[in-house]
Structure formats: C-alpha cells, structure tokens
Amino acid sequence: QYCFFVAGIIGEMLTQFVQQPQLLKKSIQFGLCLQKVNLLKDQKEDEAQGRYLVPDRAELMKSFSQDARGAIEYLTQIPVSMREYRLFCAWSLFLGISSLTWVQSSLLQSLVSKLPRAMTQVLLSKIENMIDDNEKLLAHFQDVMGAFISSIPQSKNLAPRLIGSDSGLWLQHLYQGQLQQKDLTELELV
C-alpha cells in the first residue's frame, strides 16, 4: 500500500501521458516495481538506521516479480513513436532489476554494493539499441529477471516479520483515482 501511494499513483499519471487507458494497471505495476526496487535496494541501510520498511523480504520479492512482469508489459505497449519516453521507462526498469542482483549478493555478504558504473553504461547502451524491438526487450527482461531470481536464497527470511495487518480500508478511503475495488484487489493492495 505504501508503494502504491508513493509510486503506483505516478504510474497512474503516466497512463494519462501515454493516453492508453487499457494500460492503467500495468502502468501502476511499473511504478510499484520501481518503488519495490528502492525498498529492496535500501533495506540494509534502512534497517541499520532502525527503519524496518520490509516486513517480509520473501513476500516483497514475490510481489516485485509480479509487478516487474506488469512493468515489462507496460513498456512493450508504449508506442514506438514515443521512443524517448519508452527509453526513459526501459532504462529505469532494467537498471532497477539489474541492480537488485548486485544488491542481493551484497546483502548476503553484509556489504554495501551497487551496480558498477561501467556495467551501468553498457546496460543503458544495450537498452537504447533494442528500444524499438519488443522481442529483444522481452528476451533481455527474461535474462535479467532470471539472474535476479537465481540470486535469491531459498526460504531465508532476511527481515523481521511485523505483527498486525491493515485491512486496506484507509487506502480505499483516501484513493480517488481510476482503479475500481476489483482492480485494487487484483493488484493485491487490499
């Protein structure tokens, strides 16, 4: 729910920019995906400062994977005529997912690490060269997600579980956007 309000709403606004209402849920997943990258990437530093924003890392990774699939669907449905916007979205998505593999290994080794600059430059150039080809983007997405998923340790919860849950009533009360109740449920927000 936090990710929805800080980034999913931005995804909703992006749909208006693209002017394709059928992409609404996918654009929200794009925003959710990128916010979850930030939470996963910053988890160790946040917890060192007493901020436990990730109650269950395994659950967050699972929902991240679902949102990442929605994000790549959003990206590949942006018209090629909107090349600059498409490239902006692609760079954000692939840089985020690629950095998570590095972050995952550094978390397990208790190191602070980020994607090296040279690797980032190669990635951005590669994405720019394939931005007009959905098949290449989808294949690269599969490769990058595969690397990320293989970096995740099996059944090891790396964050303390918080007790209690919110029914989501506050979200339904505050949210005044385009999504219906069934959409919020499908996105696992309520």
Side-chain angles (χ1 to χ4, degrees):
Q1 292 172 348
Y2 164 80
C3 292
F4 176 70
F5 271 106
V6 298
I9 299 293
I10 303 303
E12 185 172 338
M13 290 188 318
L14 292 175
T15 300
Q16 295 170 6
F17 178 70
V18 177
Q19 296 182 350
Q20 294 193 23
Q22 74 276 14
L23 294 180
L24 178 61
K25 284 194 284 188
K26 300 301 179 196
S27 68
I28 289 172
Q29 285 183 292
F30 179 80
L32 290 171
C33 173
L34 295 180
Q35 185 59 36
K36 290 173 184 179
V37 165
N38 287 339
L39 287 174
L40 290 166
K41 182 173 62 76
D42 297 338
Q43 182 181 5
K44 187 154 183 74
E45 184 179 317
D46 286 338
E47 289 178 359
Q49 295 178 12
R51 293 187 308 260
Y52 291 88
L53 303 173
V54 179
D56 186 325
R57 190 169 178 88
E59 270 305 305
L60 185 58
M61 286 185 185
K62 178 183 171 193
S63 70
F64 163 77
S65 294
Q66 293 166 346
D67 291 328
R69 283 189 292 278
I72 190 66
E73 290 175 25
Y74 174 71
L75 171 63
T76 57
Q77 291 180 37
I78 296 171
V80 176
S81 63
M82 298 181 74
R83 190 174 201 278
E84 292 82 15
Y85 176 67
R86 195 174 151 106
L87 187 58
F88 168 78
C89 290
W91 280 343
S92 301
L93 178 62
F94 285 107
L95 187 56
I97 297 170
S98 297
S99 68
L100 282 182
T101 302
W102 283 85
V103 169
Q104 183 63 30
S105 65
S106 68
L107 180 66
L108 295 172
Q109 298 170 19
S110 297
L111 301 171
V112 175
S113 178
K114 65 180 190 175
L115 201 59
R117 178 180 290 268
M119 227 177 173
T120 300
Q121 290 172 325
V122 168
L123 175 65
L124 296 180
S125 178
K126 183 176 184 174
I127 298 304
E128 188 169 2
N129 289 331
M130 67 174 76
I131 195 61
D132 298 324
D133 188 331
N134 282 346
E135 287 183 27
K136 287 181 182 176
L137 288 170
L138 288 167
H140 187 63
F141 175 80
Q142 292 300 325
D143 291 345
V144 175
M145 281 299 288
F148 169 64
I149 290 169
S150 68
S151 74
I152 300 171
Q154 296 300 313
S155 67
K156 184 175 181 182
N157 187 359
L158 301 174
R161 179 86 176 162
L162 298 180
I163 299 172
S165 67
D166 186 314
S167 66
L169 292 176
W170 70 274
L171 184 142
Q172 296 171 48
H173 176 72
L174 289 176
Y175 175 68
Q176 300 296 313
Q178 300 175 45
L179 294 178
Q180 303 299 314
Q181 174 65 37
K182 69 176 184 63
D183 300 321
L184 294 171
T185 302
E186 285 176 14
L187 289 169
E188 298 181 1
L189 297 170
V190 292

